[in-house]
Amino acid sequence: MTVYCFGSINIDHFYRLPRLPAPGETLAVLDHATGLGGKGANQSVAAARASARTVHLGAVGRDGAGMLERLAALGVDCAGVVQRDDMVTGHAVIMVDDAGENSIVIHPGANRAQDLGAVQAALAQAALGDILLLQNETDLQPEVAELAIGKGLEVIYSAAPFEVEATRAILPFCNMLVLNAVEAAQLSEALDMPLEDLPVETVVVTRGSDGADWIARGAPPIHMPAFAVTAVDTTGAGDCFAGTLAAALDAGLPPTDSMRRATAAAALQVTQHGTAEAMPDADAVAAFLA
Ligand code: ADP
């Protein structure tokens, strides 16, 4: 089976500075590094490292070849990614000072210029029961989700970065919603209904070091406690969880085992610095759970 992940691909530019610049100030950086980023790319890498055949669907600009090479090196099939010469790849400018304080700007670039025809062509290969995983950093999410659910795929929406309206628009075309505890509370309040009444089969709520909950219609809820680890960088934990969960479900694991794998992978991920490159592979997760 296959996990199709429709989502963002960013170039993350990290600039290390002695301090963050004040308005109007110009500062020279101490260091610069680039990394693969974007929630879509992170979740694809997490799914691929968890052993799922993973096909990324998305768009990069004329400067995107390097990020596609990194994605491919991490095990993700990029045949479904459109490269647009008239745009730049989405990118984040991340300034970090010596105290660890940061300031980030994001330019969505090609992430917000998706091509529905290209997605349709890629999904022509999909089989009944394959998974489509998507997030909220592109355009065309409801259209892609509707297309996928119509073809019999299981659609998992990782509702981040969270927006009530974006979530409301995509819910009719999802089987599963994955979101963190703060987002879950905001959604429940905005829609004025408890999570178990949301019009979606399954809601998975991640709760940081308190683990995660699986809330499915007509079944008792499942709580999976987090594994006790020393977290050094929790960036990307939610992406690691969502990608690993999709891979486990794609492999046919039942809910409790899938939640356990996702919780274990995310626990390992927070013990490392970085996002995509810090996603643990299936062997590391198996050894951790042994
Ligand atoms: P997000 O990054 O989207 O806010 P969470 O903070 O809820 O998501 O983290 C996602 C998952 O990562 C959690 O459900 C948990 O399994 C794991 N996780 C996050 N922080 C920790 C931690 N400090 N220790 C162990 N596991 C963690």
Side-chain angles (χ1 to χ4, degrees):
M1 304 301 284
T2 302
V3 174
Y4 291 89
C5 179
F6 173 69
S8 57
I9 299 172
N10 281 346
I11 305 173
D12 283 347
H13 290 279
F14 296 93
Y15 297 97
R16 193 163 66 80
L17 293 150
R19 59 193 160 72
L20 299 181
E25 188 181 17
T26 303
L27 278 179
V29 303
L30 301 171
D31 229 339
H32 168 242
T34 60
L36 172 65
K39 289 185 169 299
N42 291 342
Q43 294 189 12
S44 274
V45 171
R49 288 228 156 158
S51 297
R53 174 170 183 261
T54 305
V55 176
H56 193 91
L57 311 175
V60 293
R62 51 186 171 266
D63 53 346
M67 291 303 113
L68 297 189
E69 278 166 25
R70 287 199 201 192
L71 264 175
L74 291 162
V76 178
D77 180 340
C78 293
V81 179
V82 174
Q83 195 158 4
R84 299 194 45 157
D85 291 336
D86 57 335
M87 309 209 72
V88 293
T89 302
H91 53 270
V93 173
I94 303 162
M95 293 184 280
V96 189
D97 72 12
D98 280 343
E101 199 60 58
N102 66 35
S103 183
I104 302 175
V105 292
I106 293 182
H107 176 34
N111 290 319
R112 293 248 193 250
Q114 301 291 340
D115 179 342
L116 194 59
V119 173
Q120 210 153 9
L123 291 184
Q125 322 288 326
L128 217 62
D130 279 348
I131 286 179
L132 178 87
L133 175 62
L134 72 177
Q135 317 77 28
N136 187 29
E137 274 188 341
T138 60
D139 56 357
L140 298 187
Q141 288 103 324
E143 290 82 354
V144 169
E146 184 174 11
L147 184 71
I149 209 160
K151 290 175 74 68
L153 278 77
E154 288 287 308
V155 177
I156 303 178
Y157 179 57
S158 160
F162 182 70
E163 284 171 352
V164 170
E165 286 316 314
T167 308
R168 196 201 299 261
I170 202 169
L171 269 188
F173 315 116
C174 292
N175 301 97
M176 179 183 289
L177 177 66
V178 181
L179 71 187
N180 72 25
V182 174
E183 298 160 349
Q186 284 173 5
L187 184 64
S188 183
E189 191 185 327
L191 301 186
D192 195 21
M193 63 175 73
L195 291 176
E196 43 276 22
D197 290 351
L198 289 178
V200 60
E201 285 159 36
T202 308
V203 180
V204 172
V205 182
T206 66
R207 302 186 183 280
S209 56
D210 289 331
D213 291 301
W214 171 289
I215 303 158
R217 287 244 195 90
I222 300 166
H223 174 69
M224 188 58 58
F227 289 88
V229 291
T230 305
V232 298
D233 178 2
T234 59
T235 324
D239 291 336
C240 180
F241 183 98
T244 311
L245 184 70
L249 293 168
D250 183 62
L253 292 188
T256 306
D257 296 344
S258 299
M259 290 279 282
R260 192 154 175 268
R261 281 225 190 145
T263 308
L268 286 174
Q269 200 267 349
V270 303
T271 64
Q272 307 289 319
H273 286 286
T275 47
E277 270 91 359
M279 301 295 174
D281 65 19
D283 289 345
V285 173
F288 183 71
L289 286 173

